Amino acid sequence: MQSSAANLLVLVPLLPLVGAVCTVLLGRRLGPRAHLPAVAGIGAAAVVALLLLLGTANQVGGGHADPTHPVEPVEMISTLWQWATVGDSRSGDLPAAEVGVPLAPGSAVTGGAFSIPIALRLDPLTATLLTIITGVGLLVAIYSIGYMHDDPGYPRFFALVAMFVFSMSMLVAASNFLLVYVFWEAVGACSYLLIGFWYTKPEAARAAKKAFLVNRVGDFGLALATFLLWMTYGTLNFHDTHLADGTIVEGILGEFRLADEVGYVGGAVGTAICLLMLLAACGKSAQMPLHVWLPDAMEGPTPASALIHAATMVTAGIYLITRSAPLFVGCPGALTMVSIVGATTALVAALIATVQNDLKRVLAYSTISQLGYMFVALGTGTMLGFTAAIFHLVTHAFFKALLFLGAGSVMHAMGGVIDMRRFGGLRHVMPITAATFLVGACALAGVAPFAGFFSKDEILAALHAKAHPEAHGSDHAEAGSAGERPRDLAGGVGLVASVPVRPFRPGSMITRVSLSDAHDVSHEKVGLDALDHPSTWRLLFWMSLLTAGLTAFYTFRAVFMTFTGPVRVPKEAGHHAHESPSVMTMPLLVLAVLSAFSGVVLFATNALSGFLSATPSLTAPAVVRTAVPHVFHWEIAIQGTLAAAIGIAVAAIGHLGRRSDSPQLERYLGPLGTLFANKFYFDQIYAALIVKPLEALSLVTAFFDRAIVDGTVDAIGQVPLAWGSAIRRMQSGLVQRYALAGVVGVLAIVLALAWQLRP
Amino acid sequence: MNPDRNLGTLLDGTLHDTLAVSLPHFRPELCLAATIVLLLLCRMLPVLRLVDSGFLALGGVLFSLFFAWNDVLTLGGGAWASSLGDLLAGRQELFGGLLAFDSLTAYIRLLLAGFLVLFILFTKVSGIPDREDGADFYTLVLGATLGMCLMASANHLLMVFMAVEMASVPSYALAGLLKGRKASSEAALKYAVYGAGAAGVMLYGLSLLAGVLGTCHMPTMARALASLDSMWMPGGTGMALAIGGLMVAAGLAFKLSAVPFHFWCPDVFAGAAAEVGAFLSVASKAAAIALLLRVAFGLGTTGSGPDHAVQMAALGETRHFIVGVVALLAALTCTLGNLAAYGQTNMKRLLAYSTIAHAGYLMMGVAAAVALAGRDAGASRSAVAAVCFYLGTYVFMNLAAFAIVALLRNSLRSEEIASYAGLIRTNPGIVVATGVVLVSLIGLPPLAGFISKFLVFSSVMESVSLDAERPLMLVLLVVGGINTVISLFYYLRVLKVMTFDPPPADRTADAFPLVSIPGALVTALVVPVVSLGIFWSGLYAFARFAGAFAS
């Protein structure tokens, strides 16, 4: 079972990779069928991922477990090979082990020498995300067959999409922070190439560059976080590694450390690690202040926006924080920062979205806003928060992909026009697109019983529990007793004590944190941790509720502007604006069904949160202690629905049945409208504070480079040339001269040695 | 005392030593020798002339490869988990001390046999030698390889001389293989004359050393050296030793094509067929580096014994001398090789200078290994492992480079760099393959050449940080770094010509496509260059195994 699952797990990234390579090699020969290898590869990977999901669910125990009942962590590690092994036991000298520096990420086989295990893992979180990535990836790839039809870069597009699915699968399956970093960069590279897919368009090239540069800031954070993790824990592995000599290197998220109440580092170092990870997540998941790249990324092909910049890649930040949950729960300050960043981003992005006229940009800001929502949930640091974030990630992947593909369908029919003021009443022209878009809009706006309603409800419930600890006190007491139950974890604590375990790296700045204190509200808090206060959470709750209302407003504003009112079609569309071909509408229908029903099914059966609670990261005692029974929060559902209803009503008043180029709401907002329309002037502020000074600096350095560095290099370049010609002249072809040169050379060496070895 | 009985014991002992101890460890060489005999027999009988000598040679080499592999496994105890102690216990002297059988012997023999397999396949694809010359060519190649195997295992200065001659004399003939080509014959003659001179100098040096120390058996010589008070003792003994050592070094430097004994190399490479260049630049170089390790460690260190530490300390001055000579030659060789490669217009000549430069890098590793031997045995073993790893990757890089030259010659009828202009438009695959090989020769990640250079330079760095000959090693490190940068220019210029320059108007034939038999050969050689840059743990384990010889 284990080995067959391991083989299957490898297939998930491998098949899209093979598809990508085949597309690159055969692309030109396949011509209009260049999509075949990529679609087949991603499709097969989707089937395998689904099998793995079912298998994992089976292992967890039906997937119906309540998160309040501690479940055995389920994980399976598949080490493909040890990479970059330096030093080995046969030589008898182990430099690293002897001087006691932290040992390698891993070091499974080689007895303490440096090596990097290329290891994949399968656990509920990974299985869920793999299914989403390959499933949505498959639908987007099929849709692209119609959408990218006749594009000169047809094979390139499919090669990149398959490459992206490979990288993203590796990112969520990697069991090592180093590999996570590698594929963090790899998905970024795919994203860069897809944003700049039409690289002859200056806007696309500029957007790609912007995405790349802004992401660098976040990636820098991840690199620093990785360094700090290495310095602190002496390993970068998630899982425990068993050495040949019987010792165990505790993985950062391995079962021994998870079971250990004082297994994680808190204090300044712990908070620094978490904040650096948060910076990384902000870059990849487009959170403030690094969100500016995502709206511009819409210059890429719409299917790529749907897959990468809505459904999957941008959720990498959420994945990273969920995966590192045990690190975060020890640092309440950092956790609260996660929520503050998320709530602020959600609100600001929603405000900007209300006045956008470009349909894709509305969706882009909506994506930023919804990702902010997930961050808010993560920041609560409770079991409900983590599972709600992933729940929302799943439903959001469905409905946001649906909305983007719907927008792409509109754009396809309108001859590339995406400005909502230039068309209207399209429900008569493209009924399937309109209907499915409406389903997606309902899901996004949180209309019951569509998918987004349930996941948003859980997020708000998680926030409410933090904001009103007294109201949920009974839950806590119950959860507390559940947490104190001794967890039967691979033989329990006894085994932990009996196995020699590598300790922390000795160092003065590291303080272990007792995770049992982390959620004690009465505990004296200083510095950043002081932010973790019910009043903060109350504010965050109201911000999120306001965002929910705004979300409903801008979503339905877009729906009304695009699909209702008198039929208007821009001249670019020609005379035959029509519904998209079935290869494009089929994925829309599938996603519409998922957007409509996934929420209610997953919520009613409690399948997802119970399943996710078996993820090793979420079985840390500090997380398990916060688990609450699975209930439907009526009061919160009513508040949420009320917010959505108000939003939709305002949108209806402003736009339902009117021409989409009629006056906009922003006119009533006065200066605020201008502020929103200009996206809070983020781009201008960055331009003034960062871009312009850097450009000025670059002028100086460019001059320095051209005049001084290049000049020096050119001058140096002449030296070997001159020497070379001199030496070539020595190569006269006359063997007598060679012999003479040899003798002279020996004499020179004798003289040199005599000087060097002089007694 | 019964003299007859004594003689009998001696004979019995020799017989036992030869049959039971030495010959079983000599099977790879025996296979090569038997194949040579078979090849010559086939020449004599008209019926057997139908047998393709290339495939016959390939068969023999495969047997040799099998036994060489077997030796590696036996020495490693059948598994890679065996300890250093086991490895050292497997170390033996063969043929009464003439040869040493240890992990370095096993590794280099495996390397040579593996290289020969690839090399023979390459010659079958490239078509040189033709059928008529085949038997001669492969006889010479196998004969030279036999000599190189002996170079890698020589434990006695006479054996050193014998092995060098056995490897060199067939090489002279190989250089003149292109009969009727003036350049080829001239190259062969120059090579022979220069080689003869070098051999004479080396023999003189050997006799000086033997005269002072009273033996040619290297471990015994090392003990004798250790018992001397100082090299700079009065009475000229020290001077005789130093001069003798330098003369031996001159002979080795000739084999290594180290400056200032490198002059034969560009002329021979440019004059001889690219196939011969491939053989000389890889096999000959690997064997010469192994021999340098043998002599340097043979004279500069002693095996384990009760007074090991005392002996090692006493040999400090000898090692200081060896490190001085090797480091000086390494720095000169590397720098001159790289500088002279500038402005070359002939690809084979450029590769000849590149070969010289790489010999310099390899010698830096040897210098570091010897310098570390007195300071930290483990670090010294790592340095030897770095050199052995370098040799392992060098097989693929250089063979691929020469294979591309030979195969392009077959289709373009030219070996001038200018004739490669604009190849990317018709043959992107070949240009990519060439690019991979050249970038690996520069030593840029993520290719095999980078790991090799990194390991060697880090060994040099290790001796700097452990204060083993620190100033000298610091100089080597700087020289190595500067040279790497210099080499960037001339390697990349080839790529620039291939990609940016417009194709010559008079080009009549296209280069071979990547999807063809020659293309498959190039791919097969380039894939290891890439994959060894990523999966280097396997080869490194072998190299560390070889490095265990130094203790």
Side-chain angles (χ1 to χ4, degrees), chain B residues 507-531:
Chain B
R507 180 178 291 162
T508 47
D510 269 352
F512 58 99
L514 202 57
V515 187
S516 63
I517 292 177
L521 178 83
V522 170
T523 313
L525 290 172
V526 168
V527 164
V529 174
V530 180
S531 55

PDB file of all heavy atoms in Angstrom, chain B residues 507-531:
ATOM      1  N   ARG B 507      29.276  26.982 -47.575  1.00  0.00           N
ATOM      2  CA  ARG B 507      29.027  25.709 -46.888  1.00  0.00           C
ATOM      3  C   ARG B 507      28.202  24.817 -47.813  1.00  0.00           C
ATOM      4  O   ARG B 507      27.130  25.194 -48.288  1.00  0.00           O
ATOM      5  CB  ARG B 507      28.282  25.942 -45.580  1.00  0.00           C
ATOM      6  CG  ARG B 507      28.005  24.623 -44.848  1.00  0.00           C
ATOM      7  CD  ARG B 507      27.311  24.834 -43.543  1.00  0.00           C
ATOM      8  NE  ARG B 507      28.200  25.474 -42.573  1.00  0.00           N
ATOM      9  CZ  ARG B 507      27.765  26.089 -41.483  1.00  0.00           C
ATOM     10  NH1 ARG B 507      26.490  26.165 -41.242  1.00  0.00           N
ATOM     11  NH2 ARG B 507      28.614  26.629 -40.650  1.00  0.00           N
ATOM     12  N   THR B 508      28.716  23.623 -48.031  1.00  0.00           N
ATOM     13  CA  THR B 508      28.043  22.735 -48.975  1.00  0.00           C
ATOM     14  C   THR B 508      27.147  21.733 -48.245  1.00  0.00           C
ATOM     15  O   THR B 508      26.057  21.422 -48.704  1.00  0.00           O
ATOM     16  CB  THR B 508      29.070  21.971 -49.815  1.00  0.00           C
ATOM     17  OG1 THR B 508      30.056  21.448 -48.927  1.00  0.00           O
ATOM     18  CG2 THR B 508      29.723  22.889 -50.827  1.00  0.00           C
ATOM     19  N   ALA B 509      27.638  21.239 -47.128  1.00  0.00           N
ATOM     20  CA  ALA B 509      26.877  20.187 -46.454  1.00  0.00           C
ATOM     21  C   ALA B 509      26.401  20.680 -45.102  1.00  0.00           C
ATOM     22  O   ALA B 509      27.010  21.554 -44.494  1.00  0.00           O
ATOM     23  CB  ALA B 509      27.750  18.951 -46.276  1.00  0.00           C
ATOM     24  N   ASP B 510      25.304  20.142 -44.667  1.00  0.00           N
ATOM     25  CA  ASP B 510      24.816  20.429 -43.325  1.00  0.00           C
ATOM     26  C   ASP B 510      25.542  19.557 -42.324  1.00  0.00           C
ATOM     27  O   ASP B 510      26.070  18.503 -42.668  1.00  0.00           O
ATOM     28  CB  ASP B 510      23.315  20.127 -43.251  1.00  0.00           C
ATOM     29  CG  ASP B 510      22.509  21.363 -43.597  1.00  0.00           C
ATOM     30  OD1 ASP B 510      23.135  22.432 -43.734  1.00  0.00           O
ATOM     31  OD2 ASP B 510      21.290  21.250 -43.738  1.00  0.00           O
ATOM     32  N   ALA B 511      25.542  20.023 -41.066  1.00  0.00           N
ATOM     33  CA  ALA B 511      26.061  19.161 -40.013  1.00  0.00           C
ATOM     34  C   ALA B 511      25.063  18.034 -39.773  1.00  0.00           C
ATOM     35  O   ALA B 511      23.939  18.076 -40.261  1.00  0.00           O
ATOM     36  CB  ALA B 511      26.267  19.966 -38.748  1.00  0.00           C
ATOM     37  N   PHE B 512      25.525  17.034 -39.055  1.00  0.00           N
ATOM     38  CA  PHE B 512      24.642  15.901 -38.803  1.00  0.00           C
ATOM     39  C   PHE B 512      23.534  16.327 -37.852  1.00  0.00           C
ATOM     40  O   PHE B 512      23.740  17.148 -36.968  1.00  0.00           O
ATOM     41  CB  PHE B 512      25.432  14.740 -38.204  1.00  0.00           C
ATOM     42  CG  PHE B 512      26.128  15.081 -36.924  1.00  0.00           C
ATOM     43  CD1 PHE B 512      25.565  14.727 -35.706  1.00  0.00           C
ATOM     44  CD2 PHE B 512      27.329  15.767 -36.919  1.00  0.00           C
ATOM     45  CE1 PHE B 512      26.199  15.050 -34.526  1.00  0.00           C
ATOM     46  CE2 PHE B 512      27.962  16.092 -35.744  1.00  0.00           C
ATOM     47  CZ  PHE B 512      27.395  15.736 -34.545  1.00  0.00           C
ATOM     48  N   PRO B 513      22.328  15.790 -38.028  1.00  0.00           N
ATOM     49  CA  PRO B 513      21.243  16.134 -37.107  1.00  0.00           C
ATOM     50  C   PRO B 513      21.389  15.395 -35.786  1.00  0.00           C
ATOM     51  O   PRO B 513      22.136  14.409 -35.695  1.00  0.00           O
ATOM     52  CB  PRO B 513      19.992  15.678 -37.844  1.00  0.00           C
ATOM     53  CG  PRO B 513      20.457  14.596 -38.735  1.00  0.00           C
ATOM     54  CD  PRO B 513      21.889  14.881 -39.087  1.00  0.00           C
ATOM     55  N   LEU B 514      20.672  15.881 -34.793  1.00  0.00           N
ATOM     56  CA  LEU B 514      20.781  15.246 -33.471  1.00  0.00           C
ATOM     57  C   LEU B 514      20.109  13.878 -33.470  1.00  0.00           C
ATOM     58  O   LEU B 514      20.506  12.986 -32.734  1.00  0.00           O
ATOM     59  CB  LEU B 514      20.145  16.153 -32.409  1.00  0.00           C
ATOM     60  CG  LEU B 514      20.611  15.921 -30.977  1.00  0.00           C
ATOM     61  CD1 LEU B 514      22.111  16.078 -30.862  1.00  0.00           C
ATOM     62  CD2 LEU B 514      19.921  16.876 -30.031  1.00  0.00           C
ATOM     63  N   VAL B 515      19.089  13.730 -34.316  1.00  0.00           N
ATOM     64  CA  VAL B 515      18.421  12.428 -34.401  1.00  0.00           C
ATOM     65  C   VAL B 515      19.101  11.624 -35.505  1.00  0.00           C
ATOM     66  O   VAL B 515      18.694  11.640 -36.662  1.00  0.00           O
ATOM     67  CB  VAL B 515      16.917  12.600 -34.675  1.00  0.00           C
ATOM     68  CG1 VAL B 515      16.214  11.248 -34.592  1.00  0.00           C
ATOM     69  CG2 VAL B 515      16.308  13.575 -33.701  1.00  0.00           C
ATOM     70  N   SER B 516      20.201  10.996 -35.141  1.00  0.00           N
ATOM     71  CA  SER B 516      20.966  10.168 -36.069  1.00  0.00           C
ATOM     72  C   SER B 516      21.938   9.390 -35.211  1.00  0.00           C
ATOM     73  O   SER B 516      22.005   9.611 -34.003  1.00  0.00           O
ATOM     74  CB  SER B 516      21.716  11.035 -37.084  1.00  0.00           C
ATOM     75  OG  SER B 516      22.660  11.836 -36.400  1.00  0.00           O
ATOM     76  N   ILE B 517      22.698   8.496 -35.808  1.00  0.00           N
ATOM     77  CA  ILE B 517      23.622   7.717 -34.979  1.00  0.00           C
ATOM     78  C   ILE B 517      24.702   8.609 -34.363  1.00  0.00           C
ATOM     79  O   ILE B 517      24.937   8.553 -33.157  1.00  0.00           O
ATOM     80  CB  ILE B 517      24.215   6.550 -35.792  1.00  0.00           C
ATOM     81  CG1 ILE B 517      23.093   5.556 -36.086  1.00  0.00           C
ATOM     82  CG2 ILE B 517      25.322   5.865 -35.013  1.00  0.00           C
ATOM     83  CD1 ILE B 517      23.513   4.407 -36.944  1.00  0.00           C
ATOM     84  N   PRO B 518      25.348   9.481 -35.176  1.00  0.00           N
ATOM     85  CA  PRO B 518      26.314  10.386 -34.526  1.00  0.00           C
ATOM     86  C   PRO B 518      25.648  11.272 -33.477  1.00  0.00           C
ATOM     87  O   PRO B 518      26.215  11.509 -32.407  1.00  0.00           O
ATOM     88  CB  PRO B 518      26.843  11.235 -35.684  1.00  0.00           C
ATOM     89  CG  PRO B 518      26.559  10.452 -36.904  1.00  0.00           C
ATOM     90  CD  PRO B 518      25.325   9.659 -36.640  1.00  0.00           C
ATOM     91  N   GLY B 519      24.438  11.715 -33.798  1.00  0.00           N
ATOM     92  CA  GLY B 519      23.730  12.556 -32.831  1.00  0.00           C
ATOM     93  C   GLY B 519      23.448  11.809 -31.537  1.00  0.00           C
ATOM     94  O   GLY B 519      23.569  12.355 -30.447  1.00  0.00           O
ATOM     95  N   ALA B 520      23.103  10.537 -31.669  1.00  0.00           N
ATOM     96  CA  ALA B 520      22.832   9.725 -30.480  1.00  0.00           C
ATOM     97  C   ALA B 520      24.097   9.595 -29.646  1.00  0.00           C
ATOM     98  O   ALA B 520      24.054   9.648 -28.410  1.00  0.00           O
ATOM     99  CB  ALA B 520      22.310   8.360 -30.883  1.00  0.00           C
ATOM    100  N   LEU B 521      25.247   9.439 -30.329  1.00  0.00           N
ATOM    101  CA  LEU B 521      26.508   9.315 -29.591  1.00  0.00           C
ATOM    102  C   LEU B 521      26.774  10.594 -28.803  1.00  0.00           C
ATOM    103  O   LEU B 521      27.118  10.559 -27.614  1.00  0.00           O
ATOM    104  CB  LEU B 521      27.654   9.039 -30.572  1.00  0.00           C
ATOM    105  CG  LEU B 521      29.011   8.935 -29.883  1.00  0.00           C
ATOM    106  CD1 LEU B 521      29.214   7.549 -29.338  1.00  0.00           C
ATOM    107  CD2 LEU B 521      30.130   9.329 -30.801  1.00  0.00           C
ATOM    108  N   VAL B 522      26.607  11.737 -29.495  1.00  0.00           N
ATOM    109  CA  VAL B 522      26.840  13.017 -28.818  1.00  0.00           C
ATOM    110  C   VAL B 522      25.889  13.156 -27.633  1.00  0.00           C
ATOM    111  O   VAL B 522      26.295  13.535 -26.530  1.00  0.00           O
ATOM    112  CB  VAL B 522      26.667  14.181 -29.813  1.00  0.00           C
ATOM    113  CG1 VAL B 522      26.673  15.507 -29.071  1.00  0.00           C
ATOM    114  CG2 VAL B 522      27.767  14.158 -30.849  1.00  0.00           C
ATOM    115  N   THR B 523      24.623  12.789 -27.857  1.00  0.00           N
ATOM    116  CA  THR B 523      23.650  12.876 -26.759  1.00  0.00           C
ATOM    117  C   THR B 523      24.084  11.987 -25.597  1.00  0.00           C
ATOM    118  O   THR B 523      24.046  12.400 -24.435  1.00  0.00           O
ATOM    119  CB  THR B 523      22.269  12.431 -27.253  1.00  0.00           C
ATOM    120  OG1 THR B 523      22.016  13.082 -28.491  1.00  0.00           O
ATOM    121  CG2 THR B 523      21.198  12.800 -26.252  1.00  0.00           C
ATOM    122  N   ALA B 524      24.510  10.771 -25.936  1.00  0.00           N
ATOM    123  CA  ALA B 524      24.893   9.834 -24.880  1.00  0.00           C
ATOM    124  C   ALA B 524      26.064  10.375 -24.070  1.00  0.00           C
ATOM    125  O   ALA B 524      26.207  10.062 -22.891  1.00  0.00           O
ATOM    126  CB  ALA B 524      25.249   8.483 -25.481  1.00  0.00           C
ATOM    127  N   LEU B 525      26.923  11.181 -24.715  1.00  0.00           N
ATOM    128  CA  LEU B 525      28.055  11.733 -23.979  1.00  0.00           C
ATOM    129  C   LEU B 525      27.670  13.005 -23.231  1.00  0.00           C
ATOM    130  O   LEU B 525      28.275  13.329 -22.204  1.00  0.00           O
ATOM    131  CB  LEU B 525      29.211  12.036 -24.940  1.00  0.00           C
ATOM    132  CG  LEU B 525      29.901  10.804 -25.526  1.00  0.00           C
ATOM    133  CD1 LEU B 525      30.875  11.203 -26.605  1.00  0.00           C
ATOM    134  CD2 LEU B 525      30.609  10.033 -24.437  1.00  0.00           C
ATOM    135  N   VAL B 526      26.689  13.732 -23.768  1.00  0.00           N
ATOM    136  CA  VAL B 526      26.332  15.012 -23.143  1.00  0.00           C
ATOM    137  C   VAL B 526      25.419  14.791 -21.939  1.00  0.00           C
ATOM    138  O   VAL B 526      25.514  15.519 -20.957  1.00  0.00           O
ATOM    139  CB  VAL B 526      25.681  15.946 -24.186  1.00  0.00           C
ATOM    140  CG1 VAL B 526      25.038  17.138 -23.509  1.00  0.00           C
ATOM    141  CG2 VAL B 526      26.722  16.423 -25.172  1.00  0.00           C
ATOM    142  N   VAL B 527      24.571  13.780 -22.019  1.00  0.00           N
ATOM    143  CA  VAL B 527      23.645  13.537 -20.904  1.00  0.00           C
ATOM    144  C   VAL B 527      24.389  13.363 -19.576  1.00  0.00           C
ATOM    145  O   VAL B 527      24.016  13.983 -18.573  1.00  0.00           O
ATOM    146  CB  VAL B 527      22.722  12.337 -21.216  1.00  0.00           C
ATOM    147  CG1 VAL B 527      22.040  11.831 -19.962  1.00  0.00           C
ATOM    148  CG2 VAL B 527      21.689  12.745 -22.247  1.00  0.00           C
ATOM    149  N   PRO B 528      25.485  12.562 -19.538  1.00  0.00           N
ATOM    150  CA  PRO B 528      26.207  12.484 -18.258  1.00  0.00           C
ATOM    151  C   PRO B 528      26.786  13.819 -17.812  1.00  0.00           C
ATOM    152  O   PRO B 528      26.876  14.084 -16.612  1.00  0.00           O
ATOM    153  CB  PRO B 528      27.338  11.488 -18.553  1.00  0.00           C
ATOM    154  CG  PRO B 528      26.909  10.737 -19.727  1.00  0.00           C
ATOM    155  CD  PRO B 528      26.051  11.647 -20.533  1.00  0.00           C
ATOM    156  N   VAL B 529      27.166  14.667 -18.776  1.00  0.00           N
ATOM    157  CA  VAL B 529      27.726  15.970 -18.393  1.00  0.00           C
ATOM    158  C   VAL B 529      26.685  16.771 -17.618  1.00  0.00           C
ATOM    159  O   VAL B 529      26.996  17.458 -16.647  1.00  0.00           O
ATOM    160  CB  VAL B 529      28.193  16.746 -19.644  1.00  0.00           C
ATOM    161  CG1 VAL B 529      28.641  18.134 -19.266  1.00  0.00           C
ATOM    162  CG2 VAL B 529      29.303  15.994 -20.337  1.00  0.00           C
ATOM    163  N   VAL B 530      25.429  16.651 -18.043  1.00  0.00           N
ATOM    164  CA  VAL B 530      24.360  17.352 -17.331  1.00  0.00           C
ATOM    165  C   VAL B 530      24.017  16.608 -16.049  1.00  0.00           C
ATOM    166  O   VAL B 530      23.963  17.191 -14.968  1.00  0.00           O
ATOM    167  CB  VAL B 530      23.105  17.472 -18.222  1.00  0.00           C
ATOM    168  CG1 VAL B 530      22.003  18.199 -17.472  1.00  0.00           C
ATOM    169  CG2 VAL B 530      23.441  18.188 -19.509  1.00  0.00           C
ATOM    170  N   SER B 531      23.818  15.288 -16.181  1.00  0.00           N
ATOM    171  CA  SER B 531      23.267  14.581 -15.025  1.00  0.00           C
ATOM    172  C   SER B 531      24.305  14.462 -13.901  1.00  0.00           C
ATOM    173  O   SER B 531      23.951  14.458 -12.739  1.00  0.00           O
ATOM    174  CB  SER B 531      22.743  13.207 -15.429  1.00  0.00           C
ATOM    175  OG  SER B 531      23.750  12.482 -16.060  1.00  0.00           O
TER     176      SER B 531
END
